């Protein structure tokens, strides 16, 4: 009997079971393949890491061996140099030639400085910024832009110090330097020098001319002005008062020869003072001036005071009333009385780091004379209350050394330039940053700012930099107005003419240039762009500092060639060349009210000079 609920027995389908088995097997095989591949990759990684570690160890071993060889080489060379120096001293004691200073042995500064020898860090400080080809030969001390200049370096200049990927400067560095040994000795190149630190001419060497050392007379006592506080104790300079050069001291005999190696068109540097007519030269105890024989002699120059320091003088600046001169050197800023040569005060930040050098690369008085602003290698700007001898504000924000400072004509703003490629405006009262002008165009990478200046009307800001450029900004808007290109090497100094119509620049290409500002000038002439009016050629080495006289009739420049030149901006001709330092002239400044100018140098000296217009051309 059939059952209504008689159903067919459910039997698993053979094809479905086979399919699942195949899928599971395929999945297992894929897993095994991936697992094997991962194992292989781990083995490959371990082998690769082992090879990399082995190569790193080999490189470290080679590096260590290189360091050991370098230390051994330096030690052996130093021993060799010491032995050579010992033998040369023995030879000199027996009547032989003077001792040649060794580049591996510490060299004392000129004997009359009575200053300690530069530290080893100073002697081996890197040259100006970015390891440029021209950085060789920077002076000992602050080369600009070290650490970035001539340090922190110009300056090594410019200071000369630079002002860093490599070191300004301007010694004091930022800036290029020169031989600093005593007169009569041989510089490292073996060339005999005279009492002025200048190489002797072949004629003098052949004739056996022997230079005399200048006789340095002690400082004359100067009456202390009433109401002026006596110099504070513990000052940095070896003397509290500069030595004054009198007319009787200015007369001497002996050979005075400018340094050789001048460019073909540098006629003044090629001239021997011994052959120059008496009316075309002026000689002092340790300085001389040669006037251009092709131009009527219009001025007379005399040395007034010599201000001794314990280190490279990176900057000099007169107060607006012309009564005081500020100088910046290692760790201290000093203020000098222009009338007496007395050291009025020494400003030093006791809170600053005590490690290494700390060169003051820029100084500037406020227009009212109440404040002095200083810029240093520690990236800080200090505003000093001169009467209280105290810091009012410390301005921070720059990322590299400060190389240049200027006050706005109304005294409300401070302008600063640094190796960090920025120019900044600060409010004097609050100490706050108001504006930042950045060099971020398509120029070269190494564009540290070396010098800054306000226009006479306070509407423009000019800045020079290591990328051979000068830039103009408008203060009110912060807008970049013009990039001025023309120099063939880094520009270390800029200055506006007193009438605001021209801009003056000095460069490592050994030239000065006068730029017509056109529509950017105070008279807003119709010219659309800035144009180069003239190129002043005469220095035979880097131009580190430039300045206009207050009346705009003269341009003054300082150079690594240790010379100062006066130029006539109307004819673009040099009026005279002054040789009065034994190292780079890092900074020049002219008094706003009197016919004085000052120079700061890597020879540890600042000097105050007078220049006067002759009643009639000679």
């Amino acid at each position: 009997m059939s059952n209504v609920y008689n159903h067919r027995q459910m039997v698993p389908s053979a094809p479905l079971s086979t399919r699942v088995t195949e899928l599971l097997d395929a999945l297992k095989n894929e897993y095994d393949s991936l697992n094997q591949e991962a194992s292989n990759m781990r083995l490959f990684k371990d082998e690769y890491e082992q090879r990399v570690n082995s190569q790193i160890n080999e490189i470290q071993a080679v590096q260590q061996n290189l360091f050991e060889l370098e230390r051994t080489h330096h030690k052996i060379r130093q021993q060799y140099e010491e032995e050579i120096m010992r033998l040369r001293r023995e030879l000199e004691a027996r009547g032989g030639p003077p001792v040649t200073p060794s580049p591996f042995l510490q060299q004392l500064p000129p004997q009359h400085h009575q200053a300690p020898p530069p530290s080893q860090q100073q002697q081996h400080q890197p040259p100006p910024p970015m390891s440029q080809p021209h950085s060789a030969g920077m002076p000992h001390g602050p080369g600009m832009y070290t650490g970035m200049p001539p340090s922190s370096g110009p300056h090594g200049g410019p200071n000369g110090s630079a002002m860093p990927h490599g070191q300004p400067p301007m010694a004091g560095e930022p800036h290029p330097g020169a031989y600093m040994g005593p007169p009569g000795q041989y510089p490292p190149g073996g060339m005999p020098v005279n009492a002025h630190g200048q190489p002797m001419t072949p004629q003098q060497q052949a004739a056996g001319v022997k230079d005399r050392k200048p006789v340095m007379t002690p400082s004359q006592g100067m009456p202390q002005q009433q109401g002026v506080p006596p110099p504070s104790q513990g000052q940095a300079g070896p003397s509290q008062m500069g030595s004054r050069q009198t007319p009787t001291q200015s007369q001497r005999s002996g050979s005075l020869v400018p340094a050789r190696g001048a460019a073909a068109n540098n006629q003044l540097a090629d001239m021997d003072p011994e052959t120059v007519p008496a009316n075309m030269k002026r000689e002092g105890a340790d300085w001389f001036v040669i006037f251009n024989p092709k131009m009527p002699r219009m001025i007379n120059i005399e040395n007034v005071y010599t201000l001794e320091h314990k280190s490279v003088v990176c900057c000099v600046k007169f107060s607006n009333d012309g009564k005081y001169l500020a100088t910046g050197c290692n760790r201290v800023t000093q203020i000098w009385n222009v009338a007496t040569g007395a050291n009025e005060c020494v400003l030093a930040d006791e809170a600053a780091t005590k490690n290494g050098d700390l060169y003051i690369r820029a100084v500037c008085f406020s227009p009212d004379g109440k404040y002095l602003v200083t810029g240093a290698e520690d990236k800080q700007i200090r505003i000093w209350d001169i009467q209280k001898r105290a810091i009012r504000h410390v301005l921070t924000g720059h990322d590299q050394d400060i190389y240049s400072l200027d006050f706005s004509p109304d005294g409300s703003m401070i302008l600063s330039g640094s190796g960090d490629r920025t120019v900044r405006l600060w409010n004097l009262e609050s100490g706050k940053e108001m504006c930042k002008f950045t060099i971020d165009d398509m120029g070269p990478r190494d564009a540290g700012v070396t010098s800054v200046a306000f226009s006479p009307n306070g509407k423009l800001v000019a800045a020079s930099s290591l990328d051979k450029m000068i830039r103009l900004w408008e203060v009110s808007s912060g807008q970049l107005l013009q990039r001025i290109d023309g120099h063939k090497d880094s520009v270390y100094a800029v200055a506006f003419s007193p009438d605001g119509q021209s801009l003056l620049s000095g460069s490592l290409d050994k030239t000065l240039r006068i730029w017509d500002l056109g529509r950017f000038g105070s008279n807003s002439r119709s010219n659309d762009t800035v144009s180069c009016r003239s190129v002043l050629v005469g220095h035979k080495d880097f131009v580190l500092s430039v300045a206009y006289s207050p009346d705009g009739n003269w341009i003054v420049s300082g150079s690594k060639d240790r010379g100062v030149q006066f130029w006539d901006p109307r004819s673009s001709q040099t009026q005279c060349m002054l040789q009065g330092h034994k190292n780079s002239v890092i900074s020049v400044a002219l008094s706003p009210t009197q016919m004085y100018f000052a120079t700061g140098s890597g020879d540890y000296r600042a000097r105050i000079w007078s220049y006067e217009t002759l009643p009639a051309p000679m």
Side-chain angles (χ1 to χ4, degrees), residues 56-104:
I56 290 175
N57 292 334
E58 291 179 6
I59 292 175
Q60 290 177 343
V62 171
Q63 188 178 28
Q64 184 64 30
N65 291 337
L66 182 62
F67 288 156
E68 293 293 336
L69 288 173
E70 186 176 4
R71 281 196 291 266
T72 303
H73 169 74
H74 187 276
K75 182 177 179 181
I76 294 174
R77 188 165 184 176
Q78 186 171 8
Q79 292 174 349
Y80 169 79
E81 294 284 348
E82 290 174 352
E83 179 66 15
I84 291 294
M85 289 296 291
R86 184 188 67 79
L87 293 174
R88 286 180 175 171
R89 290 193 190 98
E90 182 178 346
L91 181 62
E92 181 183 14
R94 297 181 181 181
V99 175
T100 302
S102 166
F104 283 85

Side-chain angles (χ1 to χ4, degrees), residues 54-380:
S54 175
Q55 292 181 1
I56 290 175
N57 292 334
E58 291 179 6
I59 292 175
Q60 290 177 343
V62 171
Q63 188 178 28
Q64 184 64 30
N65 291 337
L66 182 62
F67 288 156
E68 293 293 336
L69 288 173
E70 186 176 4
R71 281 196 291 266
T72 303
H73 169 74
H74 187 276
K75 182 177 179 181
I76 294 174
R77 188 165 184 176
Q78 186 171 8
Q79 292 174 349
Y80 169 79
E81 294 284 348
E82 290 174 352
E83 179 66 15
I84 291 294
M85 289 296 291
R86 184 188 67 79
L87 293 174
R88 286 180 175 171
R89 290 193 190 98
E90 182 178 346
L91 181 62
E92 181 183 14
R94 297 181 181 181
V99 175
T100 302
S102 166
F104 283 85
L105 301 178
Q106 289 192 351
Q107 301 176 23
L108 292 175
Q111 296 177 356
H112 56 270
H113 295 153
Q114 300 178 356
S119 63
Q120 184 175 2
Q121 179 181 359
Q122 285 176 287
Q123 289 192 350
H124 297 285
Q125 195 163 8
M130 326 340 163
S131 302
Q132 299 188 23
H134 56 255
S135 63
M138 295 291 284
H140 298 299
M144 219 171 181
Y145 297 95
T146 51
M148 175 178 135
S151 178
S152 262
H155 89 204
N159 327 174
S161 108
M163 105 181 68
H165 285 63
Q167 241 62 22
M170 177 153 205
E173 336 183 332
H175 301 295
Y179 173 58
M180 294 176 61
Q185 287 193 359
Y186 286 68
M191 178 67 67
V193 296
N194 58 19
H196 299 272
Q198 306 291 340
M200 297 172 65
T201 61
Q203 294 83 357
Q204 289 178 316
Q205 296 179 47
V209 177
K210 293 184 178 180
D211 236 12
R212 299 187 182 93
K213 290 186 180 181
V215 179
M216 302 302 294
T217 59
S219 302
Q220 304 294 327
M222 292 293 175
Q224 184 73 22
Q225 290 185 336
Q226 293 183 357
V228 176
S232 59
Q233 295 181 355
Q235 296 178 355
S239 63
Q240 302 297 336
M241 183 176 293
S243 58
R244 185 181 184 95
Q245 296 288 341
T246 64
T248 56
Q249 290 174 327
S250 298
Q251 307 301 326
R252 68 180 279 288
S253 61
S255 67
L256 300 168
V257 183
R260 301 190 307 171
N265 51 6
N266 187 1
Q267 298 173 352
L268 291 186
D270 289 335
M271 297 174 65
D272 184 345
E274 299 297 325
T275 64
V276 175
N279 66 327
M280 300 305 292
K281 65 181 176 181
R282 185 73 177 173
E283 294 184 80
D286 58 350
W287 59 272
F288 65 86
V289 181
I290 297 179
F291 296 89
N292 189 348
K294 296 184 178 181
M295 298 291 294
R297 177 178 170 182
M298 305 293 294
I299 60 174
N300 187 45
I301 293 178
E302 291 287 345
N303 179 229
V304 181
Y305 292 110
T306 297
L307 314 176
E308 303 287 352
H309 294 68
K310 284 189 174 180
S311 64
V312 169
V313 181
C314 299
C315 50
V316 294
K317 192 76 170 183
F318 284 95
S319 59
N320 273 27
D321 59 10
K323 295 181 179 179
Y324 301 99
L325 177 74
T327 60
C329 54
N330 191 16
R331 295 197 168 274
V332 298
T333 304
Q334 303 184 60
I335 299 179
W336 307 80
N337 188 303
V338 175
T340 65
N343 189 318
E344 296 292 339
C345 70
V346 174
L347 306 176
D349 186 359
E350 298 300 330
T353 176
K354 306 299 181 183
N355 299 326
D357 295 330
L358 182 61
Y359 279 90
I360 310 300
R361 300 194 167 276
V363 294
C364 189
F365 285 94
S366 61
D368 60 10
K370 294 181 180 179
Y371 303 105
L372 181 72
V373 60
T374 64
E377 293 180 332
D378 60 359
K379 313 169 190 176
Q380 295 184 352

